Amino acid sequence: MIIKPRIRGFLCTTAHPAGCARDVENQIRHVESGSVRGEGPKNVLIIGASGGYGLASRISAAFGYGASTVGVFFERPASGNRTASPGWYKTAAFTEAAKAKGHYAANINGDAYSEEIKQATCDVIERDLGQVDLVIYSLAAPARQMPDGEVVRSTLKPVGEPFEGRTIDFNTGVMRDVSLEPASDEEVADTIKVMGGEDWELWIHALKERGLLAPGCITTNYTYLGSEVTWSIYHHGTIGRAKEDLDRARKALVEPLAEVGGSAYVAVMKGLVTQAASAIPGMSIYLSLLFKAMKDAGTHEGCIEQTTRLFDTQLYGGGELRTDDEGRIRMDELELAPDIQTFVADKWAMVDESNLDSLADFSGYRQAFLGLHGFNIEGTDYEADVELEVDIDLAAGGD
Ligand code: NAD
């Protein structure tokens, strides 16, 4: 079948298997082109392993350090004329490339919030690896099913004050106003349940109870702070409250991890186009301006550059960590550089439909969004007939 992007709002409902595979190949190439590395992770569990920062972390660990990886994700295989989700195709490509290099890779497709998937993952680790020395938590989910069956949803809303902003229609480039009423207390609490630190803690406790955390085990979770121009919707909004909860969870993990000589970190990553980020109102304008400024300055990075730098210079760099007052590892220093943020702030009110591609880099944003789904990836033949069904050997979970 010949597959084209089909876009509805901020969602693309198709994915291209060959483009997704090439995207993974490009990420692997970036990691392998890095300088010689010292000691790194050996056995890694990645929760949220099939997209954005989680997939990039998996690639950095496997191809930068030769690590064995266990990836947990929630993806959809192809069925009938419907393509698989991009994370399915990317995981298939990752697994094939990892195995070809002799790196162990096990995949678990299912709801990471559930006790069943936690225990199934522990079974795989116990059977095949014994223990893990790095646990990356990189889940971004719209909803969480609680143990009693109740489904709670995260919302992207301001807290305390209404939000008035603008967003860009991805297909047409038309800008429109967005206004959002402040979240209720319940919406804030629910967003914290979905995107806060509780599930991260549950994972670490589950692994520890089964004796699966290796001595000196490290765990990291990813957060975003970003620029003041997005604070009203992000940092000071519902999602920002959930991210604050990661700092609480990190502190709560210090004691249990100390028993195995381990440590927990929250790493502040750069703003990038991922499935989760594309849903945030106003983010498209911010990222278009940010891409313009960072590309012009030669400091632009994608997920793979960020996670590889995190591993090489921070987690396994051997030197002192670059942390802030909250103890968070800062990987967003290039995004927050004064010249970059001055550019964004100065241009923020000036961006309109006529200058999206001169003042800002909307086409770069668009390219990155399509790239998430395996489209517009250089070297891919989009006129070729491709097979929609691609298999992944699942160690647990189902499809
Ligand atoms: P993403 O949407 O690209 O990936 C999310 C991952 O979570 C996928 O592997 C998906 O399969 C998995 N997932 C979702 N629900 C699941 C479930 N119920 N069970 C199992 N797996 C599930 O997200 P991302 O943007 O890479 O975000 C990852 C983390 O990085 C988040 O904590 C996010 O806040 C943080 N972060 C993102 C940015 C950004 O700009 N994108 C910046 C800084 C930090």
Side-chain angles (χ1 to χ4, degrees), residues 48 50 52-53 74-75 110-112 138-140 222-223 243 270 272 274:
S50 56
Y53 278 118
F74 212 1
E75 300 294 345
D111 182 8
S138 186
L139 212 68
Y222 292 138
T223 192
K243 290 299 185 187
K270 160 184 196 281
L272 276 169
T274 61

Side-chain angles (χ1 to χ4, degrees), residues 57-302:
S57 304
R58 192 176 195 187
I59 295 172
S60 298
F63 292 90
Y65 295 90
S68 298
T69 59
V70 176
V72 181
F73 48 83
F74 212 1
E75 300 294 345
R76 188 193 68 231
S79 80
N81 272 345
R82 196 173 180 212
T83 71
S85 54
W88 180 274
Y89 289 138
K90 290 184 185 181
T91 299
F94 166 84
T95 308
E96 196 184 326
K99 290 190 173 166
K101 282 256 160 145
H103 306 317
Y104 169 96
N107 296 309
I108 294 158
N109 191 33
D111 182 8
Y113 291 115
S114 71
E115 187 55 22
E116 184 196 340
I117 287 294
K118 288 186 178 74
Q119 291 307 326
T121 306
C122 288
D123 291 344
V124 171
I125 294 170
E126 191 173 69
R127 185 191 70 203
D128 293 351
L129 301 176
Q131 290 186 318
V132 285
D133 47 76
L134 174 64
V135 181
I136 301 270
Y137 190 95
S138 186
L139 212 68
R144 170 180 176 189
Q145 181 162 28
M146 304 302 289
D148 63 3
E150 186 203 357
V151 175
V152 288
R153 298 192 179 280
S154 67
T155 38
L156 285 163
K157 285 193 178 177
V159 175
E161 310 220 328
F163 168 78
E164 300 289 340
R166 290 179 304 162
T167 194
I168 314 172
D169 181 300
F170 186 80
N171 270 325
T172 58
V174 171
M175 289 175 78
R176 63 179 173 82
D177 294 330
V178 187
S179 42
L180 292 171
E181 286 306 308
S184 65
D185 291 347
E186 193 184 350
E187 285 173 320
V188 173
D190 283 355
T191 306
I192 294 173
K193 278 185 203 155
V194 180
M195 286 297 287
E198 186 186 48
D199 188 56
W200 180 29
E201 292 176 82
L202 290 174
W203 269 98
I204 296 301
H205 287 297
L207 290 159
K208 183 161 180 264
E209 272 161 29
R210 300 267 306 253
L212 303 177
L213 298 178
C217 180
I218 295 175
T219 182
T220 69
N221 202 321
Y222 292 138
T223 192
Y224 182 61
L225 293 177
S227 154
E228 261 180 67
V229 299
T230 62
W231 278 5
S232 55
I233 187 67
Y234 195 96
H235 185 43
H236 293 159
T238 44
I239 185 75
R241 289 292 174 88
K243 290 299 185 187
E244 253 174 53
D245 190 60
L246 298 186
D247 298 322
R248 176 206 59 74
R250 183 189 69 78
K251 288 176 194 144
L253 284 172
V254 168
E255 208 181 290
L257 280 165
E259 290 168 31
V260 294
S263 359
Y265 299 106
V266 171
V268 187
M269 308 303 273
K270 160 184 196 281
L272 276 169
V273 186
T274 61
Q275 192 58 68
S278 59
I280 303 170
M283 210 56 176
S284 48
I285 299 176
Y286 173 69
L287 290 177
S288 298
L289 282 169
L290 184 71
F291 285 8
K292 171 81 177 161
M294 293 187 81
K295 283 179 187 174
D296 284 353
T299 56
H300 181 70
E301 291 180 306

Side-chain angles (χ1 to χ4, degrees), residues 354-377:
S354 70
N355 57 26
L356 272 177
D357 270 320
S358 48
L359 207 56
D361 181 23
F362 182 59
S363 59
Y365 174 85
R366 203 165 187 281
Q367 165 89 22
F369 180 82
L370 289 168
L372 285 181
H373 302 86
F375 296 107
N376 270 32
I377 305 273

